[in-house]
Amino acid sequence: MAELVSHPDEKKVVSARFGKGAANIDRYLELDGYKAVQKAIALGPDGIVNEMKTSSLRGRGGAGFPTGMKWSFVPKESAKPKYVLCNGDESEPGTCKDRLILEHDPHAVIEGVMIAALSIGAKTGFIYIRGEYRYLVNIMRKAIADAYAKGFLGKNIFGSGVDLDVHWHTGAGAYEVGEESALMESLEGKRGIPRIRPPFPAVVGLWGGPTVINNVETLASVPHVIFGGGQWYADLGTPKNGGTRLFCLSGHVSKPGVYELPLGYPLRKMIYEVAGGIPNGQKLKAVVPGGSSTPMLKADEIDLPMDFDSCAKAGTFLGSGGVVVLDDTTCMVKFAQRVIKFYQHESCGWCIPCREGTDWLKKTLTRFHAGGGLKKDIDNIQYLAENMLGRTFCPLGDAAAMPIISIVKKWRNEFEDHLEGRPCPYGEKTAEQLLPVLSR
Amino acid sequence: MPDVTITVDGKKLTAPGGTLLIEACKRVGIEVPAFCYYPGLSLQAACRMCLVEIEKMPKLQTACTVPITDGMVVTTESEKVKQARKSMLELVLGNHPLDCPVCDAGGECELQDMTFKYGAADSRYMEGKLHKDEQQWSPVVFFDRPRCILCYRCVRVCGEGMDVWALGVQGRGVSSVIAPNQEDHLECEECGMCIDICPVGALTSGAYRYKTRPWEMKHVGTICTHCGDGCKTTLGVRRHDTGMQIVRGDNRDKSGINGDFLCIKGRYAFDFTDHRARITQPLVRKDGHLRPASWEEALEVVAHEFRDVRESKGGAAIGVIGSTRTTNEENYLLQKFARLVLQTNNIDHHRTADFPALAAALKGKDGATAGMRDVFSAPAMLLIGNDPTDQHPLLAWQIRSNVRLHKARLYLANTQPIKLRRQAAVFAHIADGGYAALLKFLAGDDSATATLLRDGTPRETLIALRDKIKAEPDLIIMFGAEIKGADVQALAAFAASLPKARLIALADYANSRGASDMGLYPDLLPGYTASADHFAREWDAQLPAQPGMSLAQMTKAAADGRLKAMYVVGSNPVARFDFDPFVLTKPFLVVQDMFLTNTAAIADVVLPVACAYEKSGTFTNSAGDLQQVQKAGDLAGVKPDFEIIVRIAERMGFDVRKLVPFGREGVRADMGQSRGAQSGEADRHYVWLKAQNLEPKMSPLDPQALFDEIQRVVPGYQISRAALFSGTEVRTHALTAGNGGTSAGTDLIRSSNDTLFTSGTLGRYSHALNSVMENRRRAPAGAAAD
């Protein structure tokens, strides 16, 4: 069970019930639980989508696609059943927010799934939880059972005449399944390999039916949007970047943890105030802004409002909210090696550039860090990563390539310091120590 | 979808909207490279070789997944694209062993070809390649794992194409590996499609590997000699001390009637050709033993005996049994030889389908039959009896592909739960021996259901079957040997009651249909002609008046001592029909065969023959598609049946020109080239012609000389020679255009019930088929795939 942290700048919306025992359904009801879904029934499908669009809530999984728009793509009439799918396969290194939601507020996720189902006319929802989050499966299983026991799920929910079932399902331990179409394959019992798009899930998704698939945090935000109103939610953030989001601050900071901050919150303040700055008098070297797949920022690039559009302008991504701070004791070559080790291990192997590219990057970087690097390897590493970028079957290849490209470009000098058999100038302080989430 | 216009590399092209870009490019001759894309199989987009630039799209796009839309502007060979492909090849080659000099695919490898084009020749990596040991999955399938580039073609062709699903992927990332269904080995139909479709040398053939290099072979596209489907198989041949040796069979250019398909027999079972039991010199019985003899001696003995019996006892004392694996020219020649030279109507063959009954029912009804290609495109199909998966592998492929790619409807009625039921819209599992009742039921007699039903098949299934069939606007009806005689008439009548129905009768062997069309019947001349008048005029000869005996009658007559001589060409009646072999020792018995079969072993003279892969001519498949047989191999000592028959006739003092109308005005000898003659064969003919004081025009030993006559006189064979010689199949129509005569003795029609792994007499001499069967016997019971 994770320890909770807090900061005065936080605007607690999604995390409002953290630490209040809301996993218990009665407690959840006391905290305004299952009111939003009843309001949603009154609003009707179009009303729900309008509120969602007004809220300018954007997907919290990483891509930041506007949620209301995603729901509106689902055709009203469909010969095949429609589905709502909650993507709880949180695996992006540096990201640990969904686990807190699933642990502290599972009913908010169920309620979000219910509202999404009402809006698109689905009769079935699935909550897919990452294979490694075994202990959360038990919490979710109980929450769903409790909701059924109260009659909130099943036949004729809240007297609306609508039948709705929600099921949980667990993965088998594959980062790749966090990709929405691979998740659907996995849920259908197949190998977790992405599908060719188009068609998109909103038209042809789970078992061929129109499917809405959203991240845990997105769906947990939905009841708040409906309950508080779309405009109220939008006003919490910046224009086009509605609401708040959970930032997972980790690495070399004094007070690591998950903080709920409005979108557009400055990265510098996030590091030096919210997270308490860098301990031991060390200096900042690098920041991973949104999970390990996002291009890294140098110490002088942190005057950045943390919203989707500002990050894009700065050449990186807001991503999944995993902010990893690295101080000047960190070897960037070792960090690159550690990052690629993860993606090499998690590549599904479907397409050539990702399968082969991650493996050669890992081999080359491992040798390079151990002192066996040649000058041409530096260009080779960049060449390999650039040839993966934008050419793989799914975004995993991009996720592996982007941080590597940014590290070679921004810290080329550190690569040169490793040449000619010299030992790592940063000693044996490994990236595993810096980034525990990566170390399995 | 309506047509749209796009621009590819500056060329405008128009194609239906939604066509895949990679296919649209082919229309203007632009080849976009790909490993994983394969027409007719599901899309993968895994190899990333087909990346192209499309205007207004920031990233490179895979041409194999993008449907074209109006106004699309595409560049397929820009520097950016070339660079992407080159880097993709570098990545593949990183772990791919560079053992091309010893790789079976060397010279025929798509990875080599692409590397040649894009030049990914630099090595960027210092680490060693990943190695995994090679595996043998079955007697005929080997998998060299490091060579695999994971294009998943094998997985898809096995699953989607063959409906066997024996291959899959294990592991993930760089550890991903193709794996067989039984952990370390395959249990499947051994079709070898996975080997054929593999773009590199990962999957290799146990029958061919490490034998030769592709460029040492000559590739001869001919027709498979096993079942009645008529697949094109490309034989790889090379020089050998006994002539030309066949070292490989595959589906190299996919230009045949079978498209992508080839089964275990067409691919591996060519190897009977150099089986050590092959007879390579004539044998003549002396003092009770078969002794080697010269061709001159053996032919003299045969000609002398035949003439003697004919002169002393009359032609009716001679019987002839023809073959279902000899060419049309040979079959036509054999019955002409029987009727003109031996002066007998006693001629028959192993019948496996009732073509005469169908010819009688369809006489004059143009378009009432369908060809093998039609089975791939028909909107609906009805199959009664037979198990094509085993007996007609190409037909089964056509049916499956039609259902899968065109959403065609398959209706099945069978006494067995055959595998094709998995594709069927309706499968009626009927009672044993229920086919006659089924036809009554289809005709509207509901009382027939009583004898039709089987436990587990509800009456509603039969009703649904009939209702749906009757509602089909365009149906192909296929039926096996179970339907014969009156049942064929009933089925044809039912077909005539439908809006549009075309029929195919399924026979077992490579030229079963040809044997039938060419008149290897005691009571039918070529083209299902009952009356002798036409041919008497054509041949300018008196035909024997006495009605002929069927195969059963001949054996009885032999037992009674009425039959004094018997001429068995490419047939093994002793093994096939249950009579006492002793009866055949009574007449003077001449057998022409490749092996000392049960029948040959008791013969007085055995004449060793060339097999279908060692001669030229034409075959007609079950559905009436005529195709050219091309000579591939050569074996010293043997002769084609055609030549042997002509020579016997000549030695019997018959005017050969009346048998084979060679040397007609304007018909020049081609010195053998068009027949794929090899190793000085043309010269041999030339010498023979000179010795007989004949002009070196078309030789009497040249089947083409007789094909002229077949074209002229056999109804339904008036085909385009240009089309036939271009290597494609040509439809013949002997059933509908023929004279519709029936043949007595429908009880002689029996299927050999060959499976995928057996093939009549030939099967037992094929090492590949035997090793697969042996392997299967060792496998645990019930493990076979269905």
Side-chain angles (χ1 to χ4, degrees):
Chain A
M1 301 283 155
E3 222 172 278
L4 295 171
V5 291
S6 69
H7 187 271
D9 279 3
E10 277 194 282
K11 280 188 190 164
K12 288 190 185 266
V13 178
V14 178
S15 61
R17 301 191 188 96
F18 285 11
K20 294 181 179 168
N24 178 306
I25 193 164
D26 294 318
R27 183 75 185 118
Y28 182 70
L29 286 168
E30 285 169 26
L31 298 167
D32 294 332
Y34 290 109
K35 284 186 181 159
V37 65
Q38 295 179 58
K39 189 177 169 193
I41 290 168
L43 282 171
D46 293 338
I48 298 171
V49 169
N50 284 339
E51 287 296 329
M52 293 306 298
K53 284 186 173 167
T54 310
S55 75
S56 67
L57 172 66
R58 291 170 69 166
R60 301 296 194 232
F65 195 82
T67 306
M69 202 187 294
K70 193 185 242 187
W71 293 6
S72 69
F73 289 156
V74 176
K76 288 232 179 322
E77 302 297 326
S78 166
K80 289 194 171 174
K82 303 181 207 176
Y83 299 98
V84 172
L85 199 40
C86 171
N87 183 349
D89 194 79
E90 177 179 63
S91 325
E92 177 77 0
T95 315
C96 50
K97 60 191 177 60
D98 292 346
R99 59 185 282 191
L100 286 184
I101 298 171
L102 292 166
E103 180 183 332
H104 289 276
D105 204 4
H107 287 286
V109 181
I110 297 171
E111 205 177 343
V113 170
M114 292 170 76
I115 294 167
L118 288 167
S119 109
I120 64 161
K123 300 268 180 286
T124 313
F126 289 94
I127 297 171
Y128 185 103
I129 298 173
R130 180 184 184 202
E132 290 88 337
Y133 283 173
R134 289 284 158 190
Y135 73 105
L136 297 176
V137 172
N138 293 332
I139 296 171
M140 181 53 72
R141 188 160 56 185
K142 183 173 185 312
I144 291 174
D146 289 346
Y148 271 104
K150 293 268 185 199
F152 298 165
L153 287 173
K155 300 273 177 216
N156 189 19
I157 58 164
F158 298 102
S160 62
V162 175
D163 301 341
L164 182 57
D165 287 302
V166 173
H167 308 279
W168 60 272
H169 190 87
T170 167
Y175 170 80
E176 178 58 16
V177 170
E179 199 279 341
E180 59 182 19
S181 63
L183 189 147
M184 291 190 289
E185 289 283 294
S186 168
L187 190 55
E188 290 180 11
K190 303 175 195 155
R191 273 172 77 82
I193 286 166
R195 295 175 180 175
I196 293 169
R197 280 162 298 172
F200 289 95
V203 183
V204 180
L206 196 60
W207 289 297
T211 303
V212 152
I213 175 162
N214 280 121
N215 173 256
V216 168
E217 188 186 348
T218 315
L219 286 167
S221 303
V222 167
H224 300 287
V225 171
I226 299 299
F227 188 69
Q231 194 56 51
W232 163 81
Y233 186 82
D235 292 343
L236 295 172
T238 57
K240 289 191 186 169
N241 289 275
T244 58
R245 80 170 298 176
L246 299 176
F247 287 97
C248 322
L249 307 184
S250 67
H252 295 133
V253 288
S254 299
K255 292 193 285 176
V258 176
Y259 298 88
E260 183 163 13
L261 297 164
L263 280 174
Y265 194 84
L267 179 57
R268 182 177 290 279
K269 269 179 89 178
M270 214 180 268
I271 296 167
Y272 287 102
E273 295 181 21
V274 178
I278 296 164
N280 308 325
Q282 300 293 345
K283 287 204 178 68
L284 179 69
K285 182 188 267 185
V287 181
V288 174
S292 65
S293 64
T294 50
M296 296 185 68
L297 299 172
K298 292 179 82 165
D300 57 5
E301 293 174 309
I302 62 166
D303 290 307
L304 179 69
M306 290 293 275
D307 60 56
F308 291 103
D309 301 324
S310 306
C311 283
K313 219 177 281 175
T316 185
F317 298 98
L318 185 60
S320 61
V323 179
V324 184
V325 179
L326 303 175
D327 72 13
D328 56 0
T329 63
T330 314
C331 170
M332 293 309 287
V333 177
K334 181 68 187 172
F335 191 79
Q337 188 266 347
R338 190 60 193 86
V339 167
I340 204 65
K341 191 176 163 191
F342 174 82
Y343 290 106
Q344 187 268 355
H345 181 68
E346 294 295 346
S347 170
C348 77
W350 183 252
C351 71
I352 289 171
C354 177
R355 177 180 75 231
E356 305 290 334
T358 53
D359 193 50
W360 287 113
L361 276 174
K362 179 190 142 188
K363 284 178 181 169
T364 310
L365 279 163
T366 304
R367 168 171 52 81
F368 199 99
H369 184 257
L374 302 174
K375 202 161 192 315
K376 70 167 190 179
D377 284 327
I378 307 174
D379 291 332
N380 238 346
I381 290 163
Q382 188 174 344
Y383 173 88
L384 265 170
E386 281 174 350
N387 280 310
M388 289 165 62
L389 189 66
R391 293 175 188 170
T392 51
F393 186 84
C394 82
L396 194 149
D398 295 344
M402 287 188 299
I404 304 301
I405 294 170
S406 69
I407 293 171
V408 178
K409 278 189 178 164
K410 293 180 181 175
W411 288 278
R412 194 180 177 93
N413 59 319
E414 293 203 16
F415 283 84
E416 284 161 357
D417 290 345
H418 284 75
L419 286 174
E420 289 156 25
R422 281 191 293 248
C424 176
Y426 299 90
E428 274 312 295
K429 190 167 181 181
T430 62
E432 275 88 348
Q433 291 168 305
L434 311 174
L435 197 58
V437 70
L438 288 174
S439 63
R440 252 178 294 121
Chain B
M1 275 208 228
D3 281 1
V4 297
T5 300
I6 67 169
T7 310
V8 181
D9 296 343
K11 290 185 197 176
K12 287 234 186 282
L13 77 93
T14 302
T19 306
L20 292 174
L21 180 55
I22 196 167
E23 288 293 330
C25 288
K26 279 185 196 165
R27 294 185 178 209
V28 286
I30 294 171
E31 191 197 349
V32 179
F35 290 120
C36 70
Y37 174 74
Y38 201 88
L41 297 179
S42 64
L43 302 179
Q44 310 288 286
C47 76
R48 319 304 287 176
M49 281 302 292
C50 66
L51 291 171
V52 294
E53 276 191 82
I54 302 176
E55 259 186 31
K56 293 182 192 139
M57 293 197 185
K59 286 189 192 177
L60 296 177
Q61 300 290 317
T62 46
C64 72
T65 58
V66 174
I68 59 168
T69 52
D70 204 33
M72 195 177 255
V73 180
V74 183
T75 312
T76 68
E77 287 283 334
S78 66
E79 282 311 308
K80 190 176 168 189
V81 167
K82 281 187 200 163
Q83 198 283 325
R85 290 180 189 155
K86 183 179 167 188
S87 77
M88 227 50 82
L89 288 170
E90 285 171 353
L91 287 166
V92 174
L93 291 168
N95 276 320
H96 187 92
L98 299 178
D99 61 348
C100 308
V102 294
C103 174
D104 262 342
E108 295 181 325
C109 171
E110 294 180 33
L111 181 55
Q112 275 185 342
D113 294 348
M114 286 205 211
T115 308
F116 185 75
K117 180 165 183 189
Y118 293 100
D122 296 336
S123 195
R124 294 180 181 275
Y125 320 119
M126 286 173 67
E127 283 68 26
K129 291 169 187 287
L130 291 175
H131 180 75
K132 305 176 188 105
D133 287 339
E134 190 185 38
Q135 296 178 326
Q136 179 175 8
W137 284 350
S138 86
V140 288
V141 183
F142 285 71
F143 183 50
D144 193 329
R145 292 186 288 175
R147 287 186 192 149
C148 175
I149 60 167
L150 288 167
C151 66
Y152 316 108
R153 282 189 199 174
C154 55
V155 176
R156 285 172 288 159
V157 80
C158 182
E160 299 166 18
M162 294 302 298
D163 192 27
V164 169
W165 306 96
L167 298 174
V169 188
Q170 276 178 354
R172 75 177 186 195
V174 80
S175 309
S176 300
V177 64
I178 304 292
N181 56 357
Q182 302 293 321
E183 287 189 34
D184 62 344
H185 70 280
L186 270 175
E187 271 165 31
C188 66
E189 294 173 8
E190 307 285 0
C191 65
M193 292 287 289
C194 52
I195 300 171
D196 226 7
I197 210 164
C198 181
V200 295
L203 283 158
T204 54
S205 155
Y208 166 72
R209 64 208 304 269
Y210 302 135
K211 274 193 183 160
T212 186
R213 307 300 287 160
W215 51 87
E216 289 176 336
M217 291 185 287
K218 186 182 168 198
H219 304 283
V220 182
T222 188
I223 304 308
C224 174
T225 181
H226 292 279
C227 85
D229 285 347
C231 289
K232 179 171 181 178
T233 175
T234 302
L235 300 172
V237 296
R238 66 171 179 188
R239 288 194 176 277
H240 189 258
D241 55 5
T242 61
M244 293 299 282
Q245 184 195 23
I246 303 170
V247 286
R248 184 172 79 175
D250 72 0
N251 191 9
R252 186 180 159 90
D253 62 6
K254 327 266 186 231
S255 67
I257 198 170
N258 41 321
D260 287 316
F261 179 77
L262 200 60
C263 83
I264 177 170
K265 294 182 200 174
R267 193 179 307 280
Y268 309 113
F270 59 82
D271 58 353
F272 66 86
T273 54
D274 58 0
H275 193 280
R276 59 190 160 77
R278 222 30 222 279
I279 321 168
T280 54
Q281 52 185 332
L283 304 171
V284 175
R285 193 169 294 277
K286 289 174 194 159
D287 313 324
H289 296 283
L290 282 172
R291 307 271 188 215
S294 71
W295 272 102
E296 298 307 311
E297 184 189 349
L299 290 173
E300 187 54 41
V301 170
V302 172
H304 182 267
E305 278 295 329
F306 280 174
R307 191 168 48 192
D308 205 41
V309 173
R310 186 189 65 192
E311 307 289 297
S312 60
K313 310 283 177 191
I318 307 176
V320 179
I321 294 172
S323 175
T324 49
R325 284 199 173 106
T326 48
T327 63
N328 286 325
E329 293 78 0
E330 288 167 338
N331 289 340
Y332 183 90
L333 178 67
L334 182 66
Q335 60 83 33
K336 191 174 177 183
F337 171 82
R339 287 168 172 130
L340 293 190
V341 184
L342 300 180
Q343 291 169 15
T344 181
N345 276 323
N346 300 336
I347 182 163
D348 207 341
H349 68 288
H350 172 203
R351 313 179 192 189
T352 55
D354 201 345
F355 290 117
L358 192 60
L362 301 183
K363 184 185 173 185
K365 293 181 179 164
D366 283 357
T369 60
M372 193 56 83
R373 278 191 205 270
D374 298 329
V375 180
F376 176 61
S377 56
M381 301 162 283
L382 166 64
L383 173 68
I384 302 176
N386 205 279
D387 182 0
T389 309
D390 261 7
Q391 295 170 274
H392 292 274
L394 169 61
L395 187 84
W397 166 271
Q398 298 287 77
I399 292 172
R400 281 193 307 267
S401 303
N402 195 11
V403 170
R404 180 170 61 91
L405 299 173
H406 304 145
K407 306 231 181 314
R409 298 161 297 279
L410 172 67
Y411 304 102
L412 275 190
N414 207 302
T415 56
Q416 301 297 319
I418 62 170
K419 191 182 151 195
L420 278 172
R421 73 184 186 281
R422 305 204 298 214
Q423 276 72 32
V426 180
F427 168 53
H429 192 183
I430 61 171
D432 291 337
Y435 292 108
L438 175 77
L439 291 166
K440 283 201 190 99
F441 170 76
L442 288 179
D445 179 0
D446 283 356
S447 68
T449 53
T451 50
L452 258 181
L453 288 175
R454 164 189 285 273
D455 287 347
T457 306
R459 195 167 177 276
E460 290 69 37
T461 305
L462 289 169
I463 305 283
L465 180 77
R466 186 172 64 191
D467 290 350
K468 290 193 173 179
I469 291 169
K470 284 186 149 181
E472 287 296 347
D474 184 358
L475 182 72
I476 288 184
I477 302 175
M478 297 157 279
F479 61 96
E482 298 91 332
I483 312 291
K484 51 193 172 189
D487 290 348
V488 174
Q489 287 173 333
L491 183 58
F494 174 67
S497 76
L498 299 173
K500 178 183 176 191
R502 291 171 287 170
L503 288 140
I504 298 176
L506 301 173
D508 285 354
Y509 294 110
N511 206 24
S512 284
R513 172 70 182 268
S516 190
D517 286 357
M518 295 304 131
L520 296 190
Y521 289 104
D523 42 8
L524 286 176
L525 282 146
Y528 305 95
T529 309
S531 151
D533 299 349
H534 174 71
F535 283 92
R537 263 200 314 280
E538 177 64 38
W539 294 338
D540 188 20
Q542 197 73 30
L543 299 192
Q546 203 173 344
M549 291 189 279
S550 71
L551 196 149
Q553 290 163 332
M554 279 188 261
T555 52
K556 190 159 187 307
D560 297 347
R562 282 181 286 130
L563 206 66
K564 296 295 179 194
M566 203 156 183
Y567 186 26
V568 177
V569 176
S571 183
N572 188 13
V574 170
R576 189 59 66 190
F577 297 92
D578 25 321
F579 58 83
D580 180 2
F582 175 72
V583 304
L584 289 192
T585 63
K586 289 190 170 181
F588 172 71
L589 178 62
V590 179
V591 173
Q592 276 174 212
D593 215 311
M594 284 172 271
F595 302 101
L596 212 55
T597 62
N598 318 42
T599 310
I602 55 172
D604 295 291
V605 178
V606 181
L607 301 172
V609 298
C611 72
Y613 295 153
E614 294 157 352
K615 61 190 176 189
S616 311
T618 60
F619 275 175
T620 311
N621 75 0
S622 243
D625 304 304
L626 183 74
Q627 300 183 90
Q628 227 188 345
V629 175
Q630 302 272 17
K631 176 172 177 166
D634 208 349
L635 185 64
V638 303
K639 290 183 189 301
D641 294 281
F642 196 95
E643 178 178 337
I644 298 171
I645 298 167
V646 171
R647 289 218 167 165
I648 293 173
E650 193 237 343
R651 281 188 178 264
M652 287 175 74
F654 193 81
D655 178 5
V656 171
R657 206 174 282 265
K658 293 191 85 173
L659 201 57
V660 183
F662 67 101
R664 290 159 69 99
E665 279 298 309
V667 184
R668 299 281 307 180
D670 64 358
M671 305 306 278
Q673 295 94 324
S674 71
R675 295 166 289 130
Q678 287 165 358
S679 315
E681 186 190 36
D683 289 344
R684 193 151 57 85
H685 285 164
Y686 184 85
V687 170
W688 190 86
L689 288 163
K690 279 289 186 195
Q692 309 297 317
N693 281 326
L694 295 165
E695 288 176 74
K697 288 184 178 175
M698 192 169 262
S699 125
L701 306 183
D702 187 339
Q704 274 190 39
L706 198 55
F707 187 68
D708 274 345
E709 182 174 317
I710 293 174
Q711 257 191 300
R712 199 173 67 249
V713 303
V714 180
Y717 275 73
Q718 286 69 41
I719 52 95
S720 154
R721 277 196 162 205
L724 180 69
F725 291 168
S726 73
T728 179
E729 85 282 2
V730 183
R731 297 276 305 135
T732 61
H733 302 281
L735 296 179
T736 51
N739 294 312
T742 53
S743 175
T746 44
D747 53 322
L748 288 171
I749 296 165
R750 57 183 77 173
S751 168
S752 56
N753 288 319
D754 281 340
T755 71
L756 269 174
F757 310 114
T758 58
S759 182
T761 306
L762 290 183
R764 77 179 78 147
Y765 298 101
S766 163
H767 174 73
L769 294 186
N770 280 309
S771 61
V772 166
M773 281 191 290
E774 179 61 29
N775 193 50
R776 222 148 261 269
R777 277 193 287 275
R778 286 200 303 264
D786 176 11

